[in-house]
Amino acid sequence: MNVETLIIGAGAAGMMAAAHAGPGVLVVDHAKAPGEKIRISGGGRCNFTNLHASPANFISQNKHFCKSALGRYTQWDFISLVDRHRIAWHEKTLGQLFCDTSARDVTAMLRGEMDRAGAALWLQAEVGDINHDGRNFHVSITHDGARKSVQASNLVVASGGKSIPKMGATGLGYRIAEQFGIPVIAPRPGLVPLTFSDDRFKPLAGVAAPAHVTAGGTGFDEAILFTHRGLSGPAVLQASSYWQDGATITINLNPNGTLYTVLRDQRQTAGRKALTTVLSQHLPTRLVDHLAAQFHLTSNLADHGDAALQDVCGKLQAWTLTPTGSEGYRTAEVTLGGVDTNALSSKTMGAKSVPGLYFIGECVDVTGWLGGYNFQWAWSSGWAAGQAIQQKR
């Protein structure tokens, strides 16, 4: 079978590329349905982009690489596409956009765009050997119980990363890159809960609090959530992408910086109350009880002078912890690292050393923050590769 373009992966990036690459496109995926990560994202509502998406919201060995694609296909372009398909949406916190009804609306929209472009889709298809004869790619694919050989002028790898393996995630994209001599930045889980081997937070499981969490010099203001195995919540997930094994994280439990003034004022009216009792008006009681011994939260509020209150607040603003690990790919929302961007064109997403070979989406060393940024990278990188292929004709 001869096609112009073979796309491996019917996820967000792969379907986007298929909609823009012109005629003669075949998309293959091992799953039973396209867009499986789209379906489960955002609690089934798909956080499909972010109003504030910019290159500053992405992590990469080359922080400049994502600028071209993000600048040429923006969040506003995707919002316009959603609006044309009359998909109702709403903004939640921090510019995060969600479907009003279902994430399936986004998948249906992309399938419609693929159909309009004439792209074919093979599901429950397994990719085997991949070869290149200097001009075309020859790919062995098992589909409908038969092994088929597909010849393609262009090969687009949109197979994602290693996150959420129960959905079939593998390192296929990295193996393809390495086969063609393209370097891969070591992958690791991102946007993932952090764990502690001593189960220290097990008694706090379910407790949440606003905080500023810092890892690797980058901090985030959102909620933290204590779990049986460690820490989660948006602020921790964000910081996890900047955390390295063995490093510390810092939690500021007084992110708005007003606690000292509030406690000093309360000392006049509630001085006879235990410090822990007063702190429990501002922080979860179970968390205050957990910190009482470590931070010496003893005696009554009136027994603490200004310097002592400043010391207490200082400790609450600089709680330093050393996670022993993370929950890994099992619960990670994304994969950090991936195909080295130095080997790719930032304009086309094409491999510099192998004409016709493209890498897009999560398998590339570009990882977004929590909140719709990774989908925007999928749309932008998929569009960039699709446009480049179409313009080659």
Side-chain angles (χ1 to χ4, degrees):
M1 178 179 179
N2 295 331
V3 298
E4 187 67 23
T5 302
L6 175 63
I7 299 176
I8 300 175
M15 287 194 286
M16 191 68 173
H20 292 276
V25 173
L26 171 63
V27 183
V28 298
D29 198 289
H30 61 81
K32 294 180 180 179
E36 283 293 85
K37 276 196 175 180
I38 295 174
R39 178 180 61 82
I40 67 168
S41 69
R45 295 286 183 90
C46 187
N47 179 192
F48 58 81
T49 192
N50 195 292
L51 293 176
H52 309 304
S54 76
N57 308 115
F58 293 84
I59 304 166
S60 174
Q61 294 279 327
N62 178 359
K63 65 181 181 180
H64 301 293
F65 180 82
C66 64
K67 291 180 178 179
S68 177
L70 290 172
R72 290 183 296 130
Y73 191 89
T74 71
Q75 60 268 44
W76 309 111
D77 293 311
F78 194 76
I79 292 168
S80 177
L81 177 63
V82 168
D83 287 342
R84 289 201 303 274
H85 282 259
R86 299 181 179 179
I87 297 174
W89 55 271
H90 60 278
E91 178 187 356
K92 284 192 175 180
T93 59
L94 304 174
Q96 301 167 10
L97 303 190
F98 291 77
C99 298
D100 282 0
T101 305
S102 171
R104 296 180 189 275
D105 292 341
V106 173
T107 302
M109 174 188 75
L110 293 170
R111 284 290 289 116
E113 291 292 301
M114 285 175 58
D115 289 344
R116 183 182 60 80
L121 174 62
W122 288 0
L123 295 171
Q124 295 180 283
E126 296 296 329
V127 174
D129 292 340
I130 300 174
N131 295 291
H132 190 241
D133 62 12
R135 181 176 181 181
N136 294 308
F137 295 91
H138 300 270
V139 183
S140 174
I141 300 173
T142 302
H143 180 244
D144 283 343
R147 178 169 294 182
K148 305 171 183 179
S149 179
V150 177
Q151 177 179 297
S153 300
N154 305 293
L155 178 63
V156 181
V157 182
S159 53
K162 292 184 174 183
S163 56
I164 319 183
K166 69 179 181 180
M167 297 187 68
T170 67
L172 175 61
Y174 313 136
R175 294 196 296 272
I176 295 173
E178 290 168 346
Q179 175 185 338
F180 288 97
I182 296 169
V184 174
I185 305 300
R188 60 189 179 90
L191 299 179
V192 63
L194 300 176
T195 58
F196 296 79
S197 59
D198 57 8
D199 292 335
R200 69 182 72 177
F201 296 130
K202 195 170 185 178
L204 296 179
V207 171
H212 182 85
V213 181
T214 303
T218 301
F220 296 90
D221 282 302
E222 277 194 82
I224 60 171
L225 173 68
F226 294 89
T227 71
H228 285 86
R229 290 167 48 83
L231 289 166
S232 188
V236 172
L237 297 181
Q238 295 275 40
S240 73
S241 293
Y242 293 86
W243 177 76
Q244 300 284 346
D245 285 348
T248 61
I249 63 170
T250 301
I251 299 177
N252 178 355
L253 294 168
N254 178 29
N256 59 14
T258 62
L259 186 58
Y260 167 71
T261 301
V262 171
L263 292 177
R264 188 183 60 185
D265 292 343
Q266 283 190 282
R267 190 173 55 193
Q268 306 303 315
T269 58
R272 293 183 180 182
K273 292 184 178 180
L275 176 59
T276 52
T277 300
V278 178
L279 280 173
S280 293
Q281 298 172 10
H282 310 288
L283 293 168
T285 300
R286 277 196 284 163
L287 177 56
V288 173
D289 292 343
H290 177 84
L291 296 172
Q294 181 181 349
F295 290 169
H296 306 293
L297 307 178
T298 59
S299 65
N300 294 334
L301 180 57
D303 298 326
H304 292 74
D306 289 355
L309 286 181
Q310 286 178 334
D311 181 62
V312 167
C313 291
K315 291 175 179 176
L316 292 172
Q317 290 174 193
W319 185 18
T320 301
L321 299 165
T322 305
T324 51
S326 78
E327 292 287 3
Y329 291 118
R330 180 178 64 86
T331 59
E333 296 201 18
V334 293
T335 304
L336 293 154
V339 177
D340 191 340
T341 58
N342 288 328
L344 306 178
S345 162
S346 62
K347 182 178 179 181
T348 69
M349 306 302 298
K352 295 175 181 177
S353 59
V354 186
L357 179 61
Y358 301 80
F359 293 87
I360 59 176
E362 190 181 351
C363 70
V364 178
D365 177 33
V366 175
T367 305
W369 289 2
L370 184 71
Y373 298 98
N374 287 292
F375 274 128
Q376 185 57 49
W377 172 244
W379 316 138
S380 297
S381 61
W383 178 90
Q387 287 289 303
I389 291 169
Q390 188 178 61
Q391 290 169 10
K392 284 168 58 175
R393 297 176 184 276

